[in-house]
């Protein structure tokens, strides 16, 4: 069995981060559209609007938390003495 290289590991982390950002962006766009739909009467359920907005908010919070952890790990690696 092949051991993943540092390049393979970085590539998989990068792809996961891009996918997470894309998903977050989609949730935010859905929330914006739901707000417009609610304002124009196409969406009448405040519960449905709240659920859509909560999904977007949680996704954004999660993305920011992951970004902060990645930056912290990067800083720690850059400060290592070799």
């Amino acid at each position: 069995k092949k051991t993943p290289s540092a390049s393979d590991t970085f590539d998989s982390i990068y792809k996961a981060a891009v996918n997470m950002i894309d998903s977050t962006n989609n949730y935010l766009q859905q929330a914006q559209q739901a707000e417009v739909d609610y304002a124009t009467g196409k969406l009448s359920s405040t519960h449905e609007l709240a659920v859509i907005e909560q999904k977007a908010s949680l996704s954004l919070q999660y993305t920011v938390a992951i970004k902060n952890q990645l930056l912290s790990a990067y800083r720690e690696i850059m400060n290592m003495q070799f």
Side-chain angles (χ1 to χ4, degrees), residues 12-74:
S12 66
I13 291 171
Y14 178 77
K15 286 179 182 176
V18 169
N19 288 338
M20 182 175 53
I21 291 168
D22 287 343
S23 294
T24 298
N25 191 40
N26 287 337
Y27 283 130
L28 292 171
Q29 288 175 350
Q30 289 173 11
Q32 289 174 343
Q33 185 59 50
E35 289 169 358
V36 169
D37 289 348
Y38 184 76
T40 59
K42 293 180 184 175
L43 178 66
S44 60
S45 171
T46 56
H47 175 73
E48 188 176 349
L49 176 61
V51 168
I52 293 168
E53 288 180 333
Q54 187 65 23
K55 274 186 189 179
S57 176
L58 288 173
S59 182
L60 183 59
Q61 289 174 20
Y62 181 72
T63 301
V64 169
I66 295 295
K67 179 216 42 134
N68 291 341
Q69 288 298 317
L70 287 172
L71 286 175
S72 176
Y74 174 78

